Amino acid sequence: MKILVPDTIPLDLRTTADDVVVPYAVRAAFPAGSEDADVLVAWGNGRRNLADAASRLTRLRLVQGLMAGPDTLVATGFRPEVALASGRGLHDGPVTEHTLALVLAAARRLDLARDAQRAHRWADELGGVQSDRTDTVFRSLDGAHVVIWGFGSIAQRLAPLLSALGARVTGVASSAGERAGFPVVTDAELPDLLPTADVLVSLLPSLPTTQGALGADLLRGLPAHAWFVNVGRGATVDEPALQAALREGTIAGAALDVVVTEPLPEDSPWWGVPNLILTPHAAGGRPQHAEELIEANLEALRTGTPLRNLVAR
């Protein structure tokens, strides 16, 4: 098999004597001679690059993405006979760490402490003698209720860490039950859950059914002391509605790693929104054990066995 690997990540693949591994640049058109590739590994590719692959690499059997969400690959328009596989599971650790960091930053108001530091001001209101968490202030995970919307592999890694810090965790997914020892309710039950939430974490993927999923109606269901944390996809949020909620103080704050337009333009309204912690889509970006997944799917192609992380379309 001819396997095209991107220049955005070092990969040390174990292959057979019949395999040929060829590096390519993700920001350029594919060079002549790439047309007979069997497998394309995608990570950090530009849209033009993927479109070039879809139109010119006519012998592709598999596009192995290293991204958690397959939306970019699905939208590219690869032929139906080309299998698409995602990098689900490769980002669980890094995204979990970043999500936990955002939740703790919100609880401890590290954004305000940083602002005070830059202003050479000792922020007495953030330190010293303080009351415990009440129903009007979120200051600790101990006793807090964290609702995680999108209870997949990342959520199942995050939930025990939140629980270890004293939080009560409830998941929200397409089907109810118990996952990894935590209660999970359906999307339809989310509105009834929101009034009890101190933090709402979104790990939703970008799908036609999730576009603008967090809108004004759901935001009104959150208590005034609650925070919203998004490490899923920006398109799942009605951004004007969230901006209005922050400006009007109907929720306490938001910590966003993703937004609809990335990178943010200089005139974006997000820059002036109060009580906002913003990180530049930094939660993932470091696939863990990518070789293991790629090698497993190469072997699956050789033997005709099921692919891991196959994307339904």
Side-chain angles (χ1 to χ4, degrees):
M1 285 189 291
K2 178 181 280 190
I3 306 152
L4 303 182
V5 297
D7 61 359
T8 47
I9 181 173
L11 293 170
D12 183 17
L13 296 176
R14 293 178 298 174
T15 56
T16 71
D18 296 327
D19 295 329
V20 178
V21 178
V22 180
Y24 72 93
V26 301
R27 297 295 172 182
F30 285 89
S34 303
E35 292 81 3
D36 60 346
D38 299 282
V39 177
L40 171 68
V41 179
W43 177 238
N45 301 60
R47 291 186 182 276
R48 289 184 180 180
N49 175 272
L50 287 177
D52 185 43
S55 63
R56 290 180 50 219
L57 308 188
T58 56
R59 286 182 50 180
L60 279 179
R61 299 166 60 194
L62 168 67
V63 178
Q64 175 63 69
L66 302 185
M67 63 291 289
D71 43 295
T72 303
L73 297 182
V74 172
T76 297
F78 286 99
R79 301 184 317 280
E81 61 267 27
V82 179
L84 304 181
S86 75
R88 179 170 50 86
L90 302 183
H91 302 270
D92 290 4
V95 175
T96 291
E97 291 174 3
H98 199 85
T99 308
L100 185 61
L102 290 178
V103 173
L104 289 171
R108 310 309 299 185
R109 292 314 304 259
L110 298 187
D111 56 320
L112 298 183
R114 179 68 175 183
D115 290 346
Q117 177 187 344
R118 287 175 173 165
H120 297 190
R121 184 180 70 85
W122 187 260
D124 286 300
E125 71 278 11
L126 299 177
V129 177
Q130 302 177 56
S131 62
D132 196 2
R133 187 184 68 86
T134 69
D135 290 339
T136 58
V137 182
F138 167 59
R139 285 292 180 267
S140 174
L141 280 170
D142 190 12
H145 184 200
V146 180
V147 176
I148 304 179
W149 194 5
F151 210 81
S153 60
I154 295 173
Q156 291 174 44
R157 186 157 176 173
L158 172 65
L161 300 178
L162 295 169
S163 180
L165 292 171
R168 176 169 64 93
V169 178
T170 305
V172 181
S174 56
S175 59
E178 184 178 288
R179 299 187 190 179
F182 294 90
V184 176
V185 303
T186 66
D187 297 295
E189 298 172 271
L190 177 60
D192 297 330
L193 196 63
L194 291 179
T196 70
D198 298 293
V199 182
L200 172 63
V201 175
S202 175
L203 290 165
L204 292 176
S206 179
L207 301 170
T209 55
T210 63
Q211 301 299 296
L214 183 76
D217 289 346
L218 290 180
L219 285 165
R220 279 193 289 268
L222 286 167
H225 70 274
W227 275 72
F228 171 64
V229 177
N230 190 9
V231 285
R233 287 291 184 266
T236 63
V237 175
D238 179 340
E239 292 193 336
L242 179 56
Q243 290 163 5
L246 292 169
R247 289 195 179 98
E248 296 164 10
T250 55
I251 64 172
L256 308 179
D257 185 55
V258 289
V259 289
V260 172
T261 303
E262 298 177 1
L264 277 183
E266 291 185 8
D267 61 351
S268 170
W270 280 123
W271 297 120
V273 173
N275 294 316
L276 174 67
I277 299 173
L278 186 66
T279 57
H281 204 141
R286 296 169 297 282
Q288 307 291 296
H289 313 295
E291 287 97 343
E292 191 176 299
L293 174 61
I294 297 168
E295 290 164 3
N297 276 346
L298 291 177
E299 183 62 19
L301 282 181
R302 294 186 191 101
T303 59
T305 53
L307 293 162
R308 283 173 55 182
N309 291 1
L310 183 65
V311 177
R313 45 175 185 144

